[in-house]
Amino acid sequence: MSQTEAPARKGGLAAGPLAGPTAWLDDRVGLATIVKKNLRKVFPDHWSFLLGEIALYSFIILLLSGTFLSVWFKPSMAEIIYTGSYDPLYGIEMSEAYASTLDISFDVRGGLLMRQIHHWAAALFLAAMMVHMLRVFFTGAYRKPRELNWLVGLGLLQLGIIEGFAGYSLPDDLLSGTGLRIAEGLMRSIPIVGTYISFFVFGGEFPGNEFIPRLYVAHVLLVPGILLALITLHMVLLVYHKHTQWPGPGRTNNNVVGYPLLPVYAAKAGGFFFVVFGVTALMGALFQINPVWVFGPYNPSQVTAGSQPDFYMGWLDGALRIMPAWEFTILDWTFSMNVFIPGVALMGLLFTILGAYPFVEQWVTGDRRVHHLLQRPRNAPTRTAFGAAGITAYGLLWISGGNDIIATQFQLDFYWITRLLRVLVFVGPVLAFVATRRVCIGLQRKDAEVVVHGFETGIITRSPDGEYSERHLPLSPAEAWTLSAHDRTEPAGLPAASDHNGVAAPHGRVEQVRGRLSRFWVGHDHQKPTADEVREAHEHHADDDELEPAEQQFGGVNELGVPRRH
Amino acid sequence: MRSLSTHRRHPLAGVLVLLLGLVVLGGLYSVLAPRSAEADSTDEALIDDGRQLFLVGCASCHGLNADGIEQQDGGQYGPSLVGVGAAAVDFQVGTGRMPLAQNSQQAPEKAVIYTDDETAALATYVASLSPGPAIPTEEDYDASDASREEVVEGRETWLTNCSACHNSVGAGGALGDGRYAPPVLGTDPKYVYEAMLTGPQSMPVFNDALLDPEEKRTIIAYLETLEAEPQYGGAGLGGFGPVTEGLAAWLVGMGALVAVATWIGATAVRARQ
């Protein structure tokens, strides 16, 4: 037994030359340069920046659990007799796809847990993508230079929805068959070519024997592949652009304030991955999702009350449910507008609006500058109002999708819910727009007021002359800076339609439209106070009714009338 | 042979043939005729009790003679009960649906007002008006000894005939105009059987020609299997399908994750400190 001495450890990345396996790798792939740069990458911290991470982590969970499921799932429409361990279906004829789903649920160890984790992760994936997108929208994070990444994200959402629907349809149970039938109806409603598309996709008459294998290829190979590629692109662009940050002292358009990737941010993000995995696993263990065994194999003659799509398709189903019957025939073609408008056109409309929004906003406001600082929703009242209107419309359609469950659970009349929603779906977004914009402008006024006058302390003093006045507590410079870091917004002026010679200005009409839109867009905004206004206000208060600026946020006064300090 | 031909012109031959015909006809009738309401003398007292209860509790809507009250516009204030049978009374009164608490789209299940004896008296009275489906006996609806094959058959019958309104796990569903198919799980098998037999509220009648008694029994067998089945995979979320699943994904899943994200973000770096 001879003792060998371990070679002395080298300092770290920064100190001394590399040795051991790291050196081996560095010699061959130049690791040190890449890693050194990226390990020091700074990420700003805010809870809302973690929403996209939830989506990323759920996607990883989906890949892991999906791989497990694919070992046992048989994507085949071949008819077999079920002889597994779920008694109420014993001896029933069903497709191999459905039988293997039952086997995963009842005869594969841990199979049901994995199926449920996979399904809950899918729901969380979609929900997190939506919430993340709303965060990006409401904070203006999609503005230049991130428009492309917004579009990539939109593609991810669309693919995620397709992927989710494909997964929902694969088990070939009664619910997924009903869902596929609706999808087939949507295809057929496309004027003139609909029937051909349906026959092309299903390989003949619905349901046929072709569709499940086709869907399987899309679900496990095609769509996840594209998703993975787009996620990579999304991340690469994120690294390239660097993350946006909230305005605050020391944070500018030219820097990023936060923790470096290693060790702090990696620890936070890594820990958060396990939290997401834990929550998904807990949901998979505690809550039933898609209990395919109670639905039974797909049988076109059967149907069950409470047949719904998963939540991300719910709004389209809702639109279908409240759309009045409108169908007409031209020559030999039937135009089923009652299905086409809510089922196909609406989806196209949503994604067109979402895709075009950054560019429309850029055109209307004329703001083509690079932005790395986020906007508070109140500082873009019109955008926030558009967002609120969109959420309202989506939410109302979502409610329509569950109108039967709402009717039974709240003891309401199903028909009246439908009638009410037919009206609300048009009126609601307008009301939401107006109310949200007013609230935002109100909040802008309040911010401006606080910047100029400081906080009201509630301390009333009487001067020897008998004059009452309230003492104000001015903001700390840091707080004042945060509240006034955003830009002023100026509506574009209306250009003259023609010059003094009477020659019509080029693009005159377009510019007129842009001018009007711009006035509508930012004309109502309450502008932050100017430096002069702030200075004047401080001079006005300078006598004795202004307190010393607080270092921290004003926290009220104690019983002696002295502002609390933290 | 000879005697028949000799006697066929006997003066009494015609009478004899007539007698024979009547006996055969009467015999056949007594065997084949539909059974009338069991209004034999032992039930007389019960019928009378039922009638007294009826006059106090039901006649204001259903009429003094249980033949319904028609409204001026042609609608019915309360429908005629002639011919609905004892099973209908047992179902409606036994589950508390009748007497109505108020005029509404549908009579909800609620606390039972009448005792079992009173319900039986009312049922006997209504059954005495005109024949109708009788209250099923326990052997009609007792499915405790059902085989696996019967449960499988019951599942198929349930999915084909019932789940469109009552949902695949019997959680109930919405119908138009404020009506609804109530939840079925947990209902006494007798009432399930009676509901199929009499078609209460918006429910169609599944008489013995549509679903024979054996099929009715297998449906009950399936429902009892569902009830006894453990909740595979965790809490069932009411059996309402993707709506409650979506709610759970957003409120529980996203709720928890956003809460954790807020906690992680709460210890953010601050440039000014």
Side-chain angles (χ1 to χ4, degrees), chain B:
Chain B
M1 280 300 151
R2 189 169 152 72
S3 65
L4 189 62
S5 62
T6 332
H7 298 300
R8 70 189 164 111
R9 292 185 190 279
H10 192 276
L12 286 177
V15 179
L16 198 68
V17 168
L18 187 67
L19 204 66
L20 200 68
L22 282 174
V23 166
V24 169
L25 194 69
L28 277 177
Y29 178 81
S30 64
V31 174
L32 298 178
R35 189 143 306 181
S36 67
E38 307 101 87
D40 39 38
S41 53
T42 49
D43 281 347
E44 288 294 346
L46 208 52
I47 291 172
D48 205 48
D49 283 353
R51 189 177 147 71
Q52 292 310 318
L53 286 167
F54 182 87
L55 288 174
V56 174
C58 322
S60 60
C61 299
H62 290 293
L64 290 173
N65 297 319
D67 52 357
I69 295 180
E70 208 162 289
Q71 284 172 319
Q72 278 181 330
D73 61 3
Q76 276 186 328
Y77 191 60
S80 165
L81 298 185
V82 177
V84 299
V89 179
D90 191 56
F91 176 83
Q92 301 279 2
V93 179
T95 61
R97 286 180 166 82
M98 288 291 149
L100 275 180
Q102 76 221 19
N103 273 324
S104 59
Q105 296 293 356
Q106 188 164 327
E109 193 178 351
K110 58 180 191 297
V112 180
I113 304 270
Y114 291 99
T115 64
D116 289 352
D117 289 343
E118 289 168 334
T119 309
L122 279 169
T124 317
Y125 165 65
V126 170
S128 74
L129 299 172
S130 180
I135 298 174
T137 60
E138 195 167 339
E139 61 198 72
D140 288 328
Y141 56 77
D142 178 35
S144 50
D145 58 342
S147 65
R148 181 168 70 186
E149 284 66 33
E150 284 175 316
V151 171
V152 171
E153 194 197 319
R155 204 202 72 89
E156 280 294 294
T157 319
W158 168 264
L159 261 294
T160 310
N161 293 288
C162 319
S163 66
C165 300
H166 287 288
N167 167 311
S168 51
V169 292
L175 305 171
D177 260 344
R179 289 187 281 264
Y180 56 91
V184 181
L185 284 196
T187 307
D188 189 329
K190 180 173 77 159
Y191 295 130
V192 175
Y193 197 99
E194 285 173 349
M196 290 189 267
L197 208 57
T198 62
Q201 321 278 348
S202 307
M203 182 163 159
V205 176
F206 292 93
N207 60 27
D208 288 351
L210 273 171
L211 286 180
D212 61 42
E214 187 46 39
E215 285 172 316
K216 289 193 178 80
R217 213 173 62 84
T218 60
I219 288 179
I220 289 169
Y222 175 60
L223 289 176
E224 287 182 342
T225 308
L226 263 188
E227 243 175 73
E229 196 172 280
Q231 289 278 13
Y232 299 115
L237 306 178
F240 300 117
V243 171
T244 40
E245 290 166 6
L247 210 62
W250 277 89
L251 296 185
V252 180
M254 286 307 285
L257 291 176
V258 169
V260 173
T262 314
W263 174 65
I264 293 175
T267 54
V269 65
R270 290 205 182 94
R272 65 191 160 95
Q273 279 181 347

Side-chain angles (χ1 to χ4, degrees), chain A residues 115-191:
Chain A
R115 251 198 69 221
Q116 300 204 135
I117 287 180
H118 193 67
H119 207 137
W120 283 122
L124 289 179
F125 178 51
L126 268 302
M129 276 202 285
M130 289 175 180
V131 178
H132 170 60
M133 200 176 81
L134 289 175
R135 196 280 294 175
V136 169
F137 180 82
F138 281 116
T139 58
Y142 56 80
R143 291 174 300 166
K144 187 179 173 185
R146 297 183 176 77
E147 306 99 317
L148 273 181
N149 222 9
W150 168 261
L151 292 181
V152 172
L154 198 59
L156 282 170
L157 180 64
Q158 281 167 295
L159 283 171
I161 290 173
I162 294 172
E163 180 71 348
F165 185 74
Y168 168 93
S169 304
L170 273 179
D172 198 32
D173 60 301
L174 185 56
L175 207 54
S176 65
T178 309
L180 270 184
R181 186 54 149 171
I182 294 175
E184 198 242 356
L186 300 189
M187 287 176 208
R188 286 196 183 200
S189 75
I190 300 168

Side-chain angles (χ1 to χ4, degrees), chain A residues 35 67 79-80 86 93 111 132 137 146 166 178 188 237 254 263 273 310 359 387 404 410 432 441 451 472 481 514-515:
Chain A
V35 169
T67 309
E79 290 281 314
I80 58 159
Y86 185 65
E93 233 177 274
H132 170 60
F137 180 82
R146 297 183 176 77
T178 309
R188 286 196 183 200
L237 282 175
N254 302 317
F273 169 73
D310 273 351
F359 305 98
D404 55 332
F410 297 99
I441 294 169
V451 168
H472 285 260
W481 200 89
R514 194 177 88 86

Side-chain angles (χ1 to χ4, degrees), chain A residues 464-497:
Chain A
D465 310 336
E467 181 198 359
Y468 286 95
S469 61
E470 187 183 8
R471 301 174 83 181
H472 285 260
L473 179 73
L475 292 181
S476 68
E479 278 166 337
W481 200 89
T482 308
L483 283 185
S484 50
H486 57 280
D487 301 317
R488 300 173 157 277
T489 47
E490 295 284 339
L494 285 184

Side-chain angles (χ1 to χ4, degrees), chain A residues 37-53:
Chain A
K37 188 178 169 211
N38 286 303
L39 286 186
R40 304 302 301 163
K41 188 107 195 143
V42 166
F43 285 93
D45 244 334
H46 189 259
W47 68 267
S48 68
F49 301 163
L50 296 172
L51 296 171
E53 286 184 20

Side-chain angles (χ1 to χ4, degrees), chain A residues 138-140 143 246-247 361 374-384 436-437 439-448 481-489 521-522 525-528:
Chain A
F138 281 116
T139 58
R143 291 174 300 166
W246 287 104
E361 190 186 70
L374 297 171
Q375 282 177 305
R376 295 174 89 192
R378 68 184 62 173
N379 288 330
T382 304
R383 177 205 298 146
T384 307
T436 309
R437 197 151 82 153
V439 168
C440 284
I441 294 169
L443 288 169
Q444 281 190 313
R445 283 177 192 280
K446 180 218 147 208
D447 280 354
W481 200 89
T482 308
L483 283 185
S484 50
H486 57 280
D487 301 317
R488 300 173 157 277
T489 47
W521 217 277
V522 297
D525 292 6
H526 188 80
Q527 303 300 338
K528 65 178 180 185

